Amino acid sequence: ASDWSSDVCSSDLGYLTGGNVFRTDSVDRVGYMNYAPFTQVLFKTRYANVTVGARYDVSTAFGSAFNPRLGITRKLGAFNFKLLYASSFRAPAIESIQYGVDGMRLKPEQSNTLEFEASVKVRKDMYLSVNLFDINTTNAIRYFVKTDSVVTGYLDGYRNSEKMIGSQGVELEYKYKSSFGFFNLVYSFYTIQNKGV
């Protein structure tokens, strides 16, 4: 099976009143177009189900970003397994673009996520699962205030982080479902210990 779409198109428009202008472009009105075709294919085999997909984002403000993803699922009796790799992005917003530190052009944030999940159906109404994850983000959009003794240009604004940031951890979940309702109990642990920031 496959799924393809190209009708994901959006536009952002911002304007200021009262004679005010945006800092970067010195105009009172800005607009950006975004276009994002994507495709996804599902392969069903006797060993596992494999999903392969990708999204390609094109923006008049920040350029383009390619975001692939891969998912593998497998059911063995009462057990379910899932392995997922996904790339994603967060585009700069109008305020971030127009208030970059000293007019610096921003890049989109790019994140890569790797997850492994295993679950077991204890009874027909009870499930246990464990999820291990690792997330890395490059070009994180951050707000800065200059604190140097001699400040040149604007005092504050947005810029991309020079270091990779992220987290990793584990989540445990217990689910109980019945005709009168459901109950979820979740424990999450995450850390930045092995990350740059």
Side-chain angles (χ1 to χ4, degrees):
S2 68
D3 178 26
W4 185 85
S5 178
S6 63
D7 59 354
V8 181
C9 185
S10 66
S11 63
D12 294 325
L13 177 65
Y15 60 91
L16 297 174
T17 59
N20 295 309
V21 295
F22 287 106
R23 184 190 295 175
T24 298
D25 291 334
S26 299
V27 295
D28 64 358
R29 182 179 296 261
V30 293
Y32 308 107
M33 289 291 297
N34 299 296
Y35 177 71
F38 64 91
T39 187
Q40 181 171 296
V41 180
L42 173 63
F43 301 98
K44 292 186 176 183
T45 72
R46 64 182 193 170
Y47 303 107
N49 293 333
V50 180
T51 303
V52 179
R55 176 177 164 135
Y56 188 73
D57 292 271
V58 180
S59 170
T60 58
F62 62 82
S64 60
F66 178 69
N67 302 291
R69 62 178 46 213
L70 171 68
I72 302 171
T73 59
R74 172 79 168 145
K75 180 173 173 53
L76 289 170
F79 293 90
N80 284 291
F81 302 95
K82 175 180 76 172
L83 181 64
L84 173 68
Y85 167 78
S87 175
S88 62
F89 83 102
R90 182 172 76 98
I94 287 177
E95 182 173 342
S96 303
I97 295 167
Q98 288 298 326
Y99 296 97
V101 172
D102 297 333
M104 186 180 294
R105 270 302 193 209
L106 294 174
K107 301 173 187 173
E109 287 184 358
Q110 195 83 28
S111 293
N112 294 303
T113 303
L114 184 61
E115 285 185 67
F116 174 74
E117 181 179 283
S119 64
V120 60
K121 185 176 183 179
V122 180
R123 300 187 330 208
K124 67 175 184 177
D125 56 359
M126 191 181 301
Y127 303 86
L128 289 172
S129 67
V130 60
N131 183 39
L132 303 169
F133 65 90
D134 185 81
I135 303 169
N136 293 308
T137 301
T138 56
N139 297 321
I141 300 168
R142 300 174 62 196
Y143 180 75
F144 286 86
V145 176
K146 295 181 185 178
T147 57
D148 297 340
S149 58
V150 178
V151 174
T152 59
Y154 290 103
L155 177 67
D156 62 344
Y158 294 88
R159 76 176 188 202
N160 293 109
S161 175
E162 296 173 358
K163 296 183 179 180
M164 181 182 293
I165 64 172
S167 65
Q168 56 191 182
V170 61
E171 294 179 341
L172 304 171
E173 184 172 15
Y174 167 81
K175 292 182 181 181
Y176 175 76
K177 293 182 180 181
S178 73
S179 58
F180 65 83
F182 65 92
F183 174 79
N184 285 5
L185 180 63
V186 180
Y187 171 78
S188 296
F189 172 80
Y190 59 93
T191 179
I192 61 171
Q193 183 175 352
N194 298 318
K195 304 299 177 179
V197 177

